[in-house]
Amino acid sequence: MITTSLRIVWAGALLSALHLAAAAPAPSEPSPRVVLDWDAGWRFSKGDFAVAMAPAFDDAGWRGVRVPHDWSTEEPFSADYGSGNGYAAGGIGWYRKHFLLDPAWQGRAIAVEFDGVYANAEVWLNGQFVGGRPYGYSSFALELTPYLKFGADDNVLAVRVDHSRFADSRWYTGSGIYRNVQLVVADPLRIAHWGTFVSTPTVTADAATVRIETTVQNGTDGARTFEVQADLLDDTGKVVASGRAPGSAAARAATTLVQTVVLPQPRRWTLDSPTLYTLRSRVLDGTAVRDETRTPFGVRTIAFDPERGFALNGVPMKLKGVCLHHDAGPLGAAVPGQVWERRLRTLKEIGVNAIRTSHNPPAPELLDLCDRLGLLVKDEALDEFTPTKNKWVAGWNQGQPSRFGYGEIFAEWGVRDTADMVRRDRNHPSVILWSIGNEIDYPNDPFSHPVLGDHYRPANPRAENLVICAEPLVAAVKAADTTRPVTAALASIIMSNAVGLPEKLDVVGYNYLEANYAADHANYPRRVIFGSENSHSYAAWTAVRDNAYVGGQFLWTGIDYLGEAGVWPNRANGAGLLDLCGFKKPAAWFRQSLWSDQPMIYLCVPTGPANRRPTAAEHWNWPAGTTVAVACYTNCAEVELTLNGKSLGVKPAAAAVEGVLTWQIPYEAGALKAAGRNGGREVCSFTLETAGAASRIELVPDVRTLRADGKGVCQLEFRVVDARGIRVPEAAQEVTFAVSGPAELLAVGNADLSSTENCRDATHAVFHGRGLAFLRSTDAAGDITIKATAPGLEPAGLVINSRQ
């Protein structure tokens, strides 16, 4: 804990932990380090097999898959499964991968790295158990070297995944090897897994002092001496600073070297200009390069202050954050990087500047994207300590909950999983906060305390246990990184205050507790306060906007997500700014009017409270003779509304009630337009037009060229439109896709929270007149032809290209 000053500052030149993959070497010319993409070439079968780890086991009939792979999205949804997990199937599944190794790699250290396997992964190589991980969100590496065969001898890696207790989470988890896999080939004298850490104790316009920790692993039977060469490269690849340090390591041991390098005239990582450098680390044995890794990094400082909130590079700013779960609707948990990029860019357009990884470590590529796009991250480890929380099965707060979950393994794995999150992610410039838990103090789920008054349950675990659980987690974070604060998202601040939990944290997160900000700021003047989870209400935002000491807020949520669902057939939660397909909802436009500096305007017809989580209709099709309430969200100084070219008057921004301008308008078919003006000049506009009868299908791809690498993804919006191309709001036709050429239809979906359609089928209904299809390239090049048909509608066709 830092308690000696009211001003707490963390500075860092922070690196991505991702080692960039080198090209596979020629057989006789091994590279210092080879990182192979190991996503292709897996065989999969659902079910349990007693001897599937044995090399001789016959897997010829198993299905070929490319990971990331989530088998929960491939099976029918059913009310027999848990609502928390979105009524998706769990079970047990096996993966097997056959591979050959170059004889030139004998004598090298070879490991497999899994970015995430849900859940209870157990791994065998050539029949030998080599390890695993129960927590489905932890990345982990396993040494394979002792059991490998080289040349023409077949190796078999077998992975058993056990998600048979499917009601083990409050939200959708997915099942299987749902994140990327790499094979790493390195010299026995090498940089350890997650063995590089960089910080900048001082940063000025003239220079940054860069502190580099490098842990070197000696995998040989004798003591070794070596040198570590650290080169800092700018974004053109030019070396701009270097340092070298000698070191030694005992046999089969690791040692950590510390170097200081001065980086002249650093370009800082900012939200608008997220400049990235590259650290090239080399382990030298005389003139030989034994190992080499490269990682992006950024130079920036962060500060959390109990009076002034948050600052980046000395510039005060509010955290305008959103909470995100790890699924992407129709794709489940196996989310390609291009899908995350599109969604993050949309959130940033809204004005979002921060992401909370709810409630677990994210995919590494999401953090890479936040580094590159300029988004801050609150990296979260756990949703529960021990014992477990309620997991609703028949609907949120319905019936009898299950009590499976992480709490069952917390005592054994909590510290390690938390520490590994920090070690993996501590070099990302985007990451500014480590969260050890989410709502671990939720009243009576499971902890209780007399301060709860009539709600106190003396039979429940004592709330003092919260501190007992939290202390080793905080210590584990501090042991791995002292450049960022430790936080937790607290749900019952009165109970946490009673047992002293906030005093164990550097920064204290308040979930839906805006009413407590002022009193706690007065009673705990050294406490740094921010909203770690918040509603979409206008009042929740003004509590941040109007109080300098509140660092920011994180809306629940940025995107609709699977699970945490209601009664069947509801399978998903609609709390997001974006829907399950990543389309902007009215709530997104309202938030954009509050958070974005770019002129914007939007019209809709509210169907619920316009200033809380805005639910509204984005169309102009209403019964003749009715009067329609129209809401306008804008950040402009004034708005003029016109209907079919006739002015309905001008309203200034000051006329808005809790951020919303409203009109009562006698309905007339045609075009309703809002024009936003600043200084008397129109700077933006938005129009709702009456749609006619459904006429045809329209296809809108986000890209027209894919890479022929088995990973390129086209996100294809499909719409039902009238003869003039206007989306028909109530259209619900089923659209069927036919794809030919070097691509596969990965998934199809819409934004309907209660749709039980199979997202792997080629036929899927539109919802509010649209949906989204995902196409993935194969390893071959060529033209990809897509055709979409629906009864009674003119079909649509499209050709995109896949290139090597």
Side-chain angles (χ1 to χ4, degrees):
M1 281 295 299
I2 298 176
T3 59
T4 58
S5 172
L6 289 182
R7 184 162 177 79
I8 306 171
V9 180
W10 287 262
L14 306 166
L15 314 188
S16 162
L18 176 67
H19 295 302
L20 300 183
S28 60
E29 300 175 356
S31 298
R33 173 178 290 239
V34 178
V35 181
L36 298 178
D37 181 328
W38 244 30
D39 288 349
W42 292 86
R43 299 179 186 181
F44 168 75
S45 184
K46 181 80 178 292
D48 207 0
F49 306 90
V51 294
M53 74 289 289
F57 180 85
D58 184 6
D59 59 16
W62 287 17
R63 179 162 58 98
V65 298
R66 179 188 289 271
V67 300
H69 172 248
D70 175 7
W71 81 63
S72 289
T73 64
E74 299 175 343
E75 301 187 26
F77 305 104
S78 171
D80 294 334
Y81 304 130
S83 61
N85 225 311
Y87 298 103
I92 296 174
W94 280 82
Y95 296 83
R96 283 167 57 94
K97 186 178 180 72
H98 296 256
F99 62 99
L100 303 178
L101 287 179
D102 191 328
W105 287 347
Q106 292 190 69
R108 310 202 79 196
I110 300 178
V112 61
E113 297 181 355
F114 293 93
D115 287 346
V117 183
Y118 204 93
N120 300 299
E122 298 175 290
V123 184
W124 290 262
L125 173 65
N126 295 329
Q128 300 291 325
F129 182 72
V130 293
R133 198 66 169 240
Y135 191 34
Y137 299 107
S138 283
S139 299
F140 61 100
L142 300 173
E143 180 76 19
L144 304 181
T145 309
Y147 310 114
L148 288 168
K149 297 179 287 187
F150 296 86
D153 292 331
D154 184 41
N155 292 278
V156 180
L157 192 76
V159 183
R160 182 180 185 269
V161 183
D162 184 354
H163 191 204
S164 52
R165 297 210 291 186
F166 52 82
D168 63 342
S169 175
R170 299 190 302 118
W171 63 90
Y172 179 88
T173 63
S175 305
I177 305 177
Y178 71 100
R179 290 180 180 169
N180 295 312
V181 184
Q182 303 87 34
L183 186 73
V184 179
V185 183
D187 192 273
L189 184 66
R190 64 196 185 277
I191 296 170
H193 186 231
W194 301 329
T196 303
F197 180 41
V198 174
S199 61
T200 52
T202 59
V203 179
T204 69
D206 294 328
T209 302
V210 182
R211 184 179 185 273
I212 304 170
E213 294 182 18
T214 308
T215 300
V216 177
Q217 181 75 43
N218 176 17
T220 70
D221 292 328
R224 298 287 293 273
T225 60
F226 54 87
E227 291 182 298
V228 172
Q229 173 79 27
D231 297 320
L232 306 185
L233 285 61
D234 67 14
D235 54 5
T236 69
K238 177 184 176 183
V239 176
V240 291
S242 295
R244 182 178 291 198
S248 62
R252 303 291 174 182
T255 188
T256 299
L257 279 67
V258 177
Q259 300 165 268
T260 299
V261 178
V262 176
L263 175 64
Q265 298 179 324
R267 296 166 57 198
R268 299 199 193 199
W269 186 92
T270 69
L271 301 184
D272 295 327
S273 181
T275 300
L276 294 173
Y277 290 86
T278 300
L279 170 69
R280 181 176 65 196
S281 302
R282 288 173 168 169
V283 178
L284 306 176
D285 181 3
T287 59
V289 179
R290 294 298 179 190
D291 195 16
E292 178 179 314
T293 63
R294 296 187 179 216
T295 40
F297 75 93
V299 179
R300 54 90 173 128
T301 62
I302 60 174
F304 286 88
D305 183 271
E307 292 293 338
R308 293 180 290 277
F310 173 73
L312 177 66
N313 297 319
V315 179
M317 64 177 61
K318 296 295 186 181
L319 296 173
K320 301 173 181 177
V322 295
C323 305
L324 292 183
H325 275 308
H326 75 145
D327 71 275
L331 292 163
V335 186
Q338 299 98 313
V339 175
W340 273 126
E341 180 168 0
R342 184 183 186 187
R343 293 178 176 214
L344 291 177
R345 286 187 182 278
T346 302
L347 290 171
K348 187 157 186 177
E349 174 186 278
I350 291 167
V352 171
N353 65 17
I355 302 297
R356 176 190 180 204
T357 68
S358 309
H359 304 289
N360 46 262
E365 56 267 27
L366 184 136
L367 297 182
D368 293 333
L369 284 165
C370 290
D371 290 346
R372 183 162 57 85
L373 297 177
L375 287 164
L376 303 167
V377 175
K378 174 189 173 187
D379 208 347
E380 193 153 74
L382 306 172
D383 185 48
E384 60 188 14
F385 290 170
T386 189
T388 58
K389 290 181 177 179
N390 292 327
K391 313 300 189 309
W392 298 104
V393 178
W396 190 72
N397 282 346
Q398 299 287 321
Q400 183 69 29
S402 79
R403 296 303 293 269
F404 306 137
Y406 189 82
E408 299 173 285
I409 61 171
F410 174 86
E412 180 180 358
W413 288 94
V415 167
R416 182 173 175 182
D417 286 331
T418 301
D420 279 0
M421 176 190 75
V422 177
R423 292 177 62 238
R424 188 195 73 170
D425 298 344
R426 61 187 172 177
N427 297 317
H428 286 277
S430 56
V431 176
I432 61 168
L433 286 163
W434 302 120
S435 173
I436 60 171
N438 168 64
E439 296 188 347
I440 36 84
D441 62 339
Y442 197 90
N444 300 312
D445 191 14
F447 301 101
S448 198
H449 190 276
V451 75
L452 297 177
D454 292 343
H455 298 287
Y456 174 49
R457 297 179 186 173
N460 279 36
R462 298 169 65 247
E464 286 79 3
N465 291 342
L466 287 165
V467 175
I468 295 172
C469 291
E471 284 181 328
L473 301 184
V474 173
V477 174
K478 298 290 187 181
D481 177 27
T482 58
T483 70
R484 301 174 183 82
V486 181
T487 190
L490 303 183
S492 176
I493 198 65
I494 60 168
M495 187 166 73
S496 287
N497 283 340
V499 299
L501 179 59
E503 281 63 51
K504 303 299 178 181
L505 308 171
D506 300 315
V507 175
V508 183
Y510 284 53
N511 280 18
Y512 309 103
L513 295 169
E514 293 85 3
N516 295 78
Y517 289 168
D520 278 13
H521 178 59
N523 292 332
Y524 307 96
R526 292 180 178 270
R527 181 176 296 180
V528 181
I529 293 173
F530 76 104
S532 44
E533 186 172 315
N534 306 87
S535 76
H536 294 240
S537 74
Y538 187 74
W541 168 238
T542 57
V544 176
R545 185 195 67 189
D546 298 340
N547 293 290
Y549 63 88
V550 181
Q553 68 171 190
F554 287 83
L555 298 180
W556 190 263
T557 60
I559 307 175
D560 289 356
Y561 58 97
L562 301 176
E564 204 163 6
V567 176
W568 173 267
N570 170 240
R571 295 193 308 102
N573 192 294
L577 298 175
L578 312 183
D579 65 26
L580 289 174
C581 293
F583 300 135
K584 290 169 70 172
K585 297 160 64 175
W589 293 97
F590 178 58
R591 191 57 41 172
Q592 189 169 339
S593 73
L594 302 177
W595 283 0
S596 177
D597 295 328
Q598 299 300 312
M600 60 78 59
I601 197 165
Y602 175 77
L603 290 175
C604 59
V605 177
T607 56
N611 64 328
R612 296 188 64 81
R613 185 186 298 154
T615 55
E618 188 185 272
H619 65 78
W620 194 239
N621 283 58
W622 303 97
T626 59
T627 297
V628 181
V630 174
C632 177
Y633 312 145
T634 187
N635 56 12
C636 295
E638 63 180 20
V639 176
E640 181 177 19
L641 195 67
T642 59
L643 178 58
N644 295 325
K646 180 181 178 181
S647 179
L648 301 179
V650 176
K651 289 192 176 185
V657 177
E658 295 193 327
V660 183
L661 292 170
T662 57
W663 281 263
Q664 297 291 327
I665 301 171
Y667 175 70
E668 177 184 302
L672 182 71
K673 177 183 176 182
R677 296 173 182 162
N678 287 330
R681 183 174 63 88
E682 182 176 322
V683 291
C684 56
S685 65
F686 188 91
T687 302
L688 293 175
E689 292 189 73
T690 303
S695 175
R696 59 185 174 87
I697 302 169
E698 183 177 69
L699 299 179
V700 184
D702 68 329
V703 296
R704 290 185 175 270
T705 301
L706 299 177
R707 291 189 62 182
D709 58 1
K711 293 177 176 289
V713 174
C714 173
Q715 297 168 76
L716 181 65
E717 182 181 352
F718 56 100
R719 305 169 178 165
V720 174
V721 299
D722 67 8
R724 296 182 299 140
I726 300 170
R727 177 162 56 96
V728 180
E730 299 306 318
Q733 287 90 341
E734 289 190 334
V735 177
T736 298
F737 291 90
V739 179
S740 60
E744 62 174 324
L745 188 62
L746 194 60
V748 188
N750 61 37
D752 186 356
L753 302 175
S754 297
S755 171
T756 59
E757 295 176 274
N758 188 333
C759 293
R760 302 296 178 175
D761 285 349
T763 298
H764 209 91
V766 296
F767 182 67
H768 293 163
R770 66 182 173 187
L772 192 68
F774 302 86
L775 284 82
R776 184 170 66 185
S777 67
T778 67
D779 295 320
D783 288 340
I784 302 163
T785 301
I786 306 108
K787 187 174 182 180
T789 59
L793 298 180
E794 181 183 337
L798 181 69
V799 177
I800 62 176
N801 186 261
S802 182
R803 299 175 182 173
Q804 295 287 356

